[in-house]
Amino acid sequence: MEKYILDNDITAMYISASSFPDGVLAAHQKLHSLIPFSTNRKYFGISQGNENGGIHYKAAAEQLSDGEAKEKGLETFVIKKGEYRSVIIHDYIQDIPAIDSTFQQLIALPNLDPNGACVEWYISDKDVQCMVRVIAN
């Protein structure tokens, strides 16, 4: 587990999954049909607890220009700058459950941002960086 500093807010446009975990793949597929893959753009999975004790999941892509989300009919979520705790999972496609178990470890840490989210940053087609934002002591 490492400390990671995100220097700037990232505005991400997203598709909400119909359910978690069953709707996650379909949300990513729909996102990629609207926003073709580009090495110039960051891609994310964003999850937060909901009022029913479940998980609200968003398949997201970095907005590269103001108004891009609106043009595509998508909502936005701001991934806040600041200090994160993170773990990189290499070759994640070979062990998808490792993402869940990694987040279980991360959300057990002290000083989590109570308004934060679990962020999966797909840093390549093989690697994902799992991150949670922490607040200063």
Side-chain angles (χ1 to χ4, degrees), residues 17-81:
S18 58
S19 63
F20 182 87
D22 297 340
V24 169
L25 179 59
H28 278 283
Q29 289 171 333
K30 184 173 181 184
L31 177 77
H32 288 285
S33 73
L34 293 170
I35 305 164
F37 178 78
S38 166
T39 55
N40 297 330
R41 191 186 301 270
K42 297 175 181 78
Y43 295 89
F44 304 96
I46 302 165
S47 52
Q48 294 177 295
N50 65 27
E51 60 279 348
N52 302 326
I55 294 176
H56 185 109
Y57 186 92
K58 302 168 178 73
E62 177 184 23
Q63 178 178 261
L64 296 179
S65 60
D66 289 344
E68 184 181 14
K70 189 174 184 179
E71 289 171 17
K72 296 182 183 307
L74 299 174
E75 294 182 65
T76 59
F77 179 90
V78 176
I79 300 169
K80 298 267 189 215
K81 68 181 177 182

Side-chain angles (χ1 to χ4, degrees), residues 84-104:
Y84 286 77
R85 294 293 176 268
S86 79
V87 174
I88 295 176
I89 300 171
H90 299 284
D91 225 1
Y92 71 88
I93 208 75
Q94 301 300 319
D95 188 10
I96 297 289
I99 296 173
D100 178 56
S101 61
T102 298
F103 277 119
Q104 293 303 319

